[in-house]
Amino acid sequence: MTSRAQDGTLSAVSFDLSVWALPDGATPADVRAAVQRCRQGQHGERYPDPRVVAFYRAITASYPDRPAGPGSPWEVVPLHAANDHIEMNLNPACEDQVLLDIERLAGEYDLMLFDYQDGSVYPPPARTRR
């Protein structure tokens, strides 16, 4: 993704995704509302959802965020981790495999994927088959 600087040139910016552990039956509107609450600094007081914990452990096993080494896909470290979601700011030059791994793990752990660039919400494959 790129953005236009004030002088009119294009510069690379991060590509941002988040995964969300919401209850069965959650809709894209529910995810967008949760994203909005997060942006406003509102994070509920509850234990971390085990799906979020498992996703975080799996993605950072392949792509560490503490510390992020050379060639890291992360633009911002550590990853923003809350009780119901993980936000990932990806380096614009990260490999497509990182995105594929995020999508695969979101499906494995029954997490909804939110794309900050266009507001798209992708339910896990299991939810789309029900």
Side-chain angles (χ1 to χ4, degrees):
M1 174 174 193
T2 59
S3 70
R4 193 163 301 279
Q6 289 181 352
D7 66 0
T9 61
L10 293 177
S11 62
V13 297
S14 67
F15 179 78
D16 305 329
L17 297 170
S18 56
V19 292
W20 291 83
L22 296 179
D24 281 344
T27 66
D30 295 329
V31 174
R32 289 184 192 98
V35 168
Q36 194 60 18
R37 286 190 300 274
C38 176
R39 287 182 174 167
Q40 295 169 354
Q42 300 172 10
H43 295 95
E45 297 294 323
R46 68 175 200 177
Y47 289 107
D49 189 293
R51 297 172 291 171
V52 170
V53 173
F55 176 90
Y56 178 82
R57 287 180 177 157
I59 199 67
T60 59
S62 296
Y63 310 105
D65 70 333
R66 297 172 195 236
S72 172
W74 312 125
E75 183 78 14
V76 176
V77 291
L79 301 181
H80 169 76
N83 56 21
D84 61 353
H85 70 280
I86 303 290
E87 182 178 320
M88 299 156 284
N89 308 103
L90 293 130
N91 182 309
C94 80
E95 296 181 18
D96 288 344
Q97 186 60 51
V98 177
L99 301 173
L100 293 171
D101 289 342
I102 290 169
E103 183 179 2
R104 176 183 53 80
L105 291 170
E108 282 181 25
Y109 295 111
D110 195 30
L111 300 170
M112 298 180 85
L113 185 63
F114 179 78
D115 182 336
Y116 286 90
Q117 284 60 233
D118 64 6
S120 295
V121 176
Y122 303 95
R127 288 192 187 179
T128 59
R129 283 182 250 147
R130 290 181 189 164

